[in-house]
Amino acid sequence: MARRIVGIGGTLRANSSSELLARAVLAECARLGAETRMFGGPALAELPHFNPEAPGRSPEQAELVAAVRAADALVIATPGYHGGVSGVVKNALDLLEDTRGDARVYFDGMPVGLIVSAAGWQAGGVTLAALRGIVHAMRGWPTPAGIALNSIEQKPFGPDGTIVDASVAQMVAVQAQQLMAFALAPAA
């Protein structure tokens, strides 16, 4: 059975660098045999604000929660906004509070690839550390290879959105390999 890997992230801007990187990791996972699904920035922007006091969920919210429940691994990508994750990504992660009562609580035992695209190295590093903290709090296992892109200094994408920078392509390949290797580890 193919492993299921879900991507969450991006910005409100179509083809944002964080979303392109997440899609690249998912494409590499698919090449390695995974089934993948992406919830990009525009889809995340359609999610109502998470309200723990309101148990009803929109069809879009229910779809995201169901996909994460069925996932073997995740990829989370965000822009670095003032040292933290974007609002649309944070709202999606907050929605996953709905999994707190599941047999697998949150991301328990799940490998999670993390991606940050920020306008500077400091913003990228701080945001990657913040995202690691969020994933640890949700019982996930961040892959050793996190991706932090400095969107000011690095221009890894060609006009069609494909990765043209060999070092960035290598980071994407390593993260995908780690997601697949950890996802393929036998369940405890």
Side-chain angles (χ1 to χ4, degrees):
M1 179 161 116
R3 293 299 179 177
R4 294 172 303 255
I5 303 180
V6 171
I8 299 170
T11 70
L12 300 181
R13 184 174 41 84
N15 296 318
S16 69
S17 54
S18 56
E19 187 169 332
L20 288 173
L21 287 167
R23 289 183 183 282
V25 171
L26 290 177
E28 181 63 15
C29 289
R31 190 187 71 73
L32 296 170
E35 293 176 7
T36 64
R37 174 109 188 258
M38 181 68 192
F39 292 87
L44 298 180
E46 296 298 318
L47 296 175
H49 289 289
F50 172 68
N51 179 356
E53 303 302 318
R57 297 291 176 242
S58 72
E60 295 82 8
Q61 287 174 313
E63 187 177 6
L64 173 63
V65 172
V68 171
R69 280 183 169 134
D72 298 302
L74 298 174
V75 176
I76 302 173
T78 184
Y81 288 163
H82 311 290
V85 302
S86 72
V88 294
V89 172
K90 183 67 167 76
N91 186 51
L93 294 174
D94 288 348
L95 174 62
L96 298 174
E97 179 66 14
D98 285 1
T99 65
R100 75 185 170 281
D102 291 0
R104 179 182 69 196
V105 178
Y106 305 126
F107 310 151
D108 193 22
M110 200 189 290
V112 183
L114 304 177
I115 299 168
V116 174
S117 178
W121 291 115
Q122 181 175 349
V126 169
T127 304
L128 186 59
L131 195 52
R132 283 186 186 281
I134 291 168
V135 169
H136 281 142
M138 295 182 80
R139 304 180 186 184
W141 297 12
T143 58
I147 299 172
L149 179 79
N150 179 337
S151 61
I152 299 298
E153 294 182 19
Q154 296 174 288
K155 304 296 181 198
F157 303 106
D160 62 352
T162 60
I163 297 175
V164 295
D165 180 300
S167 64
V168 173
Q170 179 62 27
M171 290 189 306
V172 164
V174 168
Q175 187 173 92
Q177 290 163 4
Q178 289 178 355
L179 284 165
M180 293 298 288
F182 299 155
L184 294 172

